[in-house]
Amino acid sequence: MLGWEYPPHISGGLGTACEGLTTALARHNVEVIFVVPHLFGGENASHMTLVNSQGHSQKRLEGRRRGKEAPMSSRRKPRASLISRRFIPAVLKPYLTPESFKVYTASLSLSEARQVVREITTSPGDSEDAASESHAGSEKPRVRPEQYGRDIYAEVGRFASNCASSLSQERFDIIHCHDWMTYPAGVALAQITGKPLVCHVHSLEYDRSGLNVNQQIHHIERFGLQAARRVIAVSYYTRRIVHEQHGIPLDKICVVHNGVYSSEAMFKYRKGKSWPAKIVLFLGRITFQKGPDYFIEAAAKVIPHIPDVLFVMAGTGDMLPRCIERVNQLGIGEHFQFPGFLRGQEVEEMFSIADLYVMPSVSEPFGISALEAIKFDTPVIISRQSGVSEVLTHALKVDFWDIDRMADLMINALVHEELRSDMVAMAREEVRRLHWDAAALKTREIYSSLL
């Protein structure tokens, strides 16, 4: 399985989905080798063994970083877990665009670049001279900072090359890759090994950019989806778009909805709440795809009716400066907070104290954050242009562009306590049926059909 992020080092819902799916697959006796471009350390690995491409376990790596060898008992043992993890050097980060990739690599000083390369290409105990980049041939030239890819596409190619040369001798039955940055690697492995390829679509370039798609990313998506034996879409909404945008036959596309694991809402946060009486939450990347501008315009229509309301727009993205400027133009700055990117306990607290969660996405393949909100007993308003609207009957739904209707729904949900209570109670029952084990069983059936 080829991915690009894993908790707690995540930038969006893909890492959360990979954690849920792989954990459930392991419970159903599917052994997964999970490959990512970079191991940052501190990954949530309670259910799996983390190993790098030299076979060192995470515990052994951490022991050596502290200047001492970890005991043998903590080293990786064969078949110790159904999920293991490899690291394949590449300077990929989640949600990079060609433009942001240039900014990211340009921001690295020479010394920082050398350190990054040393960390992601050298195993503890190896000399710096041993750090090398894997290629398909017999030569393994030393990696230097200037060997970063010319652009994000070169890095995607480098990841594919490293995967092809480092993983082709591994024993596996299926290749399963997530979103476009891993598709070339999946195709390369499939061509070398003859193993069936499954491409998982969590989001398309069309979702992120609308009609102004990046043609190179669009081409890579089509390249991978056409080469795959099966395509998994996270919703019927996404299945239709995959068919329309890339011409993939519908009978080749299987729908596997994401899931969520129930947990007790963090009532301790709600009891100690010192925030204003009414809180409306937007949580996600602040980009075109997520519809933050529609959220702001609707909020401006709510404030005259509910003067003590606070809108929290949590996240980062290219539209954040524009959103802050628009809030100031509308004169509603005292009703808005922009806390930035939240993670872990911060997300739990925010979901718990919010009176309403709004997901006004322009094009949302699924929208796992809506399920997370319901898990914390927070009612939701979701865009009809989302996959999660297929599985949530008891949620308020609105077209992303209809800001008058969105504002009306916000006002009603905030004013009428009984409405919020009913929404939460009925949605909670629906969420109980949306668990990762169901997704894992469907995925395993897809695997079996290919073997």
Side-chain angles (χ1 to χ4, degrees), residues 140-151:
K140 292 187 177 180
R142 178 179 170 183
V143 176
R144 304 180 184 88
E146 61 268 29
Q147 286 179 296
Y148 286 135
R150 297 181 304 279
D151 53 32

Side-chain angles (χ1 to χ4, degrees), residues 235-283:
S235 63
Y236 288 97
Y237 172 81
T238 297
R239 178 176 182 255
R240 176 178 59 81
I241 295 178
V242 169
H243 172 66
E244 293 174 352
Q245 288 288 309
H246 295 297
I248 306 302
L250 289 172
D251 59 4
K252 180 179 171 177
I253 310 170
C254 307
V255 174
V256 177
H257 288 117
N258 288 332
V260 67
Y261 283 123
S262 298
S263 66
E264 293 183 3
M266 302 296 176
F267 293 111
K268 63 180 181 181
Y269 298 126
R270 195 160 284 172
K271 287 178 180 178
K273 174 179 170 181
S274 59
W275 294 61
K278 304 297 182 184
I279 299 174
V280 181
L281 174 64
F282 172 106
L283 189 148

Side-chain angles (χ1 to χ4, degrees), residues 3-7 9-16 18 34 36-37 85 94-95:
W4 69 21
E5 66 176 9
Y6 201 87
H9 308 286
I10 60 173
S11 298
L14 187 141
T16 302
C18 286
F34 196 88
V36 289
R85 183 159 167 198
Y95 303 107

